Amino acid sequence: MERSGQAEFTKRYQPDDDGLRYQDLVYTGNFKGMEPVVDGIKGDKQMRARAKSGVLEKVSHEDVLRDQFTLDELNDLNNYLAWNIWDVLVMRATEGVSGMIPRQEYEILAFMNEFYRYPEIMRYVTDQIGAQGVIDIGASARKEIGTKINCVHDWCLGAVAFGMGRCGLLALEVMDADDYVEESNIILKFMQRVLWGKRQDGLILNSQDRYRCQIHDQSVIDMVMNQVENFEPGSERANQFTQFNATAELLAFFDHYDCRLGLGDTGPYPLPDGRILIIRDLFCNEEVFHWSDICEGLPHAYTLAVVIDPNLMGTREIRVNDISTTFTLPKNYIPYITGGAIFSREKFDTPMGEVRSLPIKDVGPEIEKIQDSTFKMYKKTAKMSRRQLCTNGIYSYYIEMILPHLRRAGVYDEVCRKFDFWEIDSRVSQYYYEITKRNFVQVVVPQKIFSGAGYLPFSQDADLRASKGRWL
C-alpha cells in the first residue's frame, strides 16, 4: 500500500485552523443574545474567549493544588462543561435510548445521586492521600493499558456528577442555583486534579487540545507497536481483527448497561510511517457488578492497537473526544485499518508485566466466548423488572464512574464501609416516582441538559461555603 504526503487532518493542529463541523447545529446555552457556538475546535475557541477567568487555559501545578475555585472559575467550568456535553452529543448524533434498558431514566437518577453523594467521598479520598495523591491517580494512566482511569471516567467525575447532576436537580426544582457551592467546588477540584495529572500539559480536556488524548508514555506506545501485525484492508487478518473489535465492543457496552463506560480510546498517536495509532480498551468483565457473573472466564479488559492509514482514508479530521470515543471525517475508518494487536488484562489490578498479547490468527475461540457471554447477558437482562434495571443502571453510573479512582487510592473498601457507598440517597430514591411525571425524562431533561439551557450559573452573591450535606 502506498503512503505519501501529509494527510489533510494534520491541518487541524495548526493554531489558526477552526476545524470542521460534524453537524449543522449550534449551541446557545446560557449565552442568549450572543452569537451561537458551534461544535469542535472553533466551539472550544468561542467558549474560552467568553471565560472570565484563566481556568480554561493551561494551569500550573500550584493552581491545581489550590483548595477551591473562585466563583468566576466555577461559572467558567460550568459553562464550558455544558457546551462540552452538547459537543459530545452532537458527534454521536443520537442520545442513549435502549429498547431493553430504561436508560434515560437511570441516567438522570444516577446524575442526581452522584451530585448528592460524591462530594463527601471525594473529600475523604483527598484527606487520605492529599491533593498530590489525587493528581497521581490521573498520572498512573500514562503507564498502563486496560485501566479505567481514562477520558470518559475522569470527565464524568465533573461533567456528569457536577454538570448534569446539578442541572437535573435545578430542572426538577429541588435546589437553587446558589445551593451546594462547597460541594460543587469539591467535585470540580477532584476532576481537575485527576485530568491534569493524566494529561501533564496544563489542560484538562481533549476538546481544549483539538481533540487529542495523547497521554501514554512512549514506553507504552513502543510495547504496543512491538506486537502490531500489519495487514491489507479486506484481508482475512483484517476481518478477524475488526470482528474481534465489534464483538468485544458490544459486550463492553452491555456489561456497562448500554453506555460508553466500557470503552476507552486514547490517541491519535502519529507513527513514523505516517499512519496513526488508536489504543482502545474494551472492558468486558467488571467483577464488582452482580450481573457480570455471566462474563466469568473473560478478562477484565481487552486492549486493541488500531492502526489507521489516514492517507488511504483521506482523513480530514479525527477526534478522540472527552468520552473516550474516536470520531472521524469521513465517518467510517474501519476499512482503512492496516494493522492491529490485541492484549488481555485479566483483572483490574493485574500488573502491566503480566498483560498478555493475543495473536490475531488465534482469536476465534476468544470471540466465541465473548459471543456466548453476550447471549447470556441478553437472556438475563430480559428477565429483569424495570425497577431492577433502573437500579442496576444507577450503579453502572454512580458506582462505576468513581470506582477506578477509589481502587487506585486504595480506599474502595473503606468508602463502602464508612459511607454506605452502594446506598442510594433517599431523595433520589423518591425521584424514581417523579421523573416520569410531566414528561420530565423525555422532554425536560433534553431541553435543560442537552441544550445547555439548564446549567444556571452561580450568582455573585453565592457563598463559597454554602452547603446542604446529604440525606440518607
Side-chain angles (χ1 to χ4, degrees):
M1 62 195 74
E2 181 180 352
R3 303 183 185 104
S4 62
Q6 191 172 46
E8 164 81 12
F9 81 97
T10 59
K11 295 178 181 176
R12 307 290 84 83
Y13 304 137
Q14 295 173 5
D16 293 337
D17 190 271
D18 285 338
L20 306 176
R21 307 281 72 77
Y22 279 57
Q23 293 286 339
D24 187 23
L25 298 170
V26 293
Y27 173 86
T28 299
N30 288 316
F31 298 104
K32 295 180 174 57
M34 300 177 71
E35 179 189 359
V37 182
V38 298
D39 69 299
I41 295 169
K42 184 177 180 180
D44 164 68
K45 290 181 179 179
Q46 290 176 293
M47 291 302 301
R48 286 207 263 177
R50 294 178 185 184
K52 294 182 179 178
S53 72
V55 74
L56 300 178
E57 305 303 324
K58 291 187 176 182
V59 295
S60 68
H61 189 209
E62 183 181 8
D63 292 330
V64 179
L65 289 175
R66 195 167 295 129
D67 285 339
Q68 62 180 11
F69 296 109
T70 65
L71 280 176
D72 281 344
E73 289 173 333
L74 285 176
N75 282 328
D76 287 341
L77 286 168
N78 176 60
N79 292 336
Y80 191 88
L81 289 173
W83 167 80
N84 182 279
I85 291 164
W86 173 85
D87 185 57
V88 299
L89 294 176
V90 165
M91 276 190 271
R92 285 165 45 172
T94 60
E95 175 39 26
V97 176
S98 169
M100 180 171 284
I101 298 170
R103 183 172 164 182
Q104 291 170 303
E105 288 82 353
Y106 88 61
E107 282 184 334
I108 190 61
L109 291 169
F111 299 161
M112 296 188 288
N113 196 53
E114 290 174 13
F115 185 81
Y116 282 144
R117 300 229 49 206
Y118 275 3
E120 65 177 353
I121 294 170
M122 290 174 168
R123 179 161 48 199
Y124 177 77
V125 174
T126 306
D127 287 345
Q128 298 305 305
I129 64 175
Q132 183 59 49
V134 179
I135 293 172
D136 292 342
I137 290 175
S140 69
R142 301 178 63 83
K143 300 181 183 301
E144 298 189 29
I145 57 174
T147 174
K148 286 185 170 179
I149 299 169
N150 59 15
C151 302
V152 61
H153 285 78
D154 303 344
W155 175 86
C156 285
L157 293 174
V160 175
F162 163 77
M164 289 195 264
R166 178 173 176 270
C167 187
L169 293 166
L170 288 168
L172 199 59
E173 299 178 346
V174 294
M175 65 172 279
D176 295 323
D178 287 351
D179 292 340
Y180 297 99
V181 188
E182 181 181 3
E183 286 86 349
S184 298
N185 230 319
I186 293 170
I187 294 174
L188 289 174
K189 259 298 164 189
F190 198 92
M191 176 199 75
Q192 183 200 40
R193 286 167 176 165
V194 172
L195 285 165
W196 191 91
K198 183 181 69 183
R199 292 193 57 91
Q200 303 277 312
D201 63 357
L203 299 172
I204 58 174
L205 297 170
N206 300 342
S207 58
Q208 296 172 290
D209 187 31
R210 297 172 181 263
Y211 298 90
R212 288 175 290 192
C213 182
Q214 299 165 338
I215 58 129
H216 282 309
D217 288 351
Q218 188 60 46
S219 60
V220 174
I221 305 296
D222 292 343
M223 183 276 287
V224 166
M225 286 305 299
N226 283 339
Q227 300 299 323
V228 163
E229 303 175 40
N230 292 317
F231 42 69
E232 293 290 335
S235 65
E236 181 180 358
R237 193 62 51 88
N239 292 337
Q240 286 174 305
F241 182 73
T242 54
Q243 183 187 3
F244 184 89
N245 176 59
T247 305
E249 189 172 306
L250 177 61
L251 180 59
F253 266 69
F254 211 166
D255 195 39
H256 294 78
Y257 261 63
D258 219 9
C259 82
R260 290 168 194 260
L261 291 168
L263 182 150
D265 282 356
T266 67
Y269 302 98
L271 299 175
D273 63 4
R275 293 184 295 171
I276 50 178
L277 168 69
I278 298 292
I279 297 180
R280 170 165 303 155
D281 296 316
L282 297 170
F283 302 97
C284 290
N285 185 2
E286 179 43 74
E287 64 185 41
V288 76
F289 296 129
H290 64 80
W291 57 85
S292 276
D293 57 351
I294 56 89
C295 300
E296 187 177 9
L298 296 179
H300 174 68
Y302 296 104
T303 297
L304 276 64
V306 182
V307 178
I308 302 168
D309 189 330
N311 283 314
L312 194 63
M313 178 181 171
T315 310
R316 297 164 57 215
E317 183 167 336
I318 181 168
R319 300 182 190 178
V320 175
N321 70 7
D322 287 297
I323 55 172
S324 286
T325 308
T326 300
F327 288 86
T328 59
L329 287 177
K331 293 181 179 178
N332 187 5
Y333 59 83
I334 298 297
Y336 308 102
I337 297 174
T338 59
I342 302 171
F343 302 87
S344 171
R345 187 171 190 174
E346 197 61 27
K347 301 287 184 183
F348 74 88
D349 57 353
T350 296
M352 276 296 292
E354 297 178 19
V355 171
R356 293 186 301 125
S357 173
L358 305 177
I360 297 174
K361 65 180 177 59
D362 296 335
V363 295
E366 203 76 14
I367 290 175
E368 291 177 4
K369 286 164 54 180
I370 298 169
Q371 290 173 329
D372 181 59
S373 291
T374 304
F375 179 63
K376 290 176 180 176
M377 185 74 85
Y378 274 108
K379 290 201 300 184
K380 189 182 186 84
T381 305
K383 295 177 182 176
M384 295 182 187
S385 68
R386 178 180 181 278
R387 181 60 181 256
Q388 188 174 9
L389 291 168
C390 256
T391 303
N392 293 349
I394 292 171
Y395 288 152
S396 76
Y397 268 31
Y398 159 67
I399 298 292
E400 167 76 23
M401 288 178 185
I402 198 171
L403 175 66
H405 312 91
L406 299 181
R407 281 171 166 168
R408 178 63 62 176
V411 298
Y412 171 71
D413 291 336
E414 291 174 50
V415 167
C416 287
R417 185 176 64 255
K418 291 178 71 72
F419 298 96
D420 288 329
F421 183 42
W422 284 76
E423 187 55 85
I424 297 170
D425 188 283
S426 63
R427 290 163 292 185
V428 175
S429 295
Q430 186 60 34
Y431 300 157
Y432 173 80
Y433 303 102
E434 298 293 325
I435 58 170
T436 55
K437 298 175 183 176
R438 305 182 300 280
N439 285 324
F440 182 77
V441 170
Q442 285 74 27
V443 178
V444 177
V445 168
Q447 286 178 346
K448 298 289 187 181
I449 291 183
F450 303 144
S451 73
Y455 296 82
L456 303 181
F458 299 99
S459 78
Q460 289 305 308
D461 294 329
D463 189 332
L464 286 172
R465 301 166 299 178
S467 171
K468 282 195 172 179
R470 62 170 164 147
W471 296 4
L472 290 178

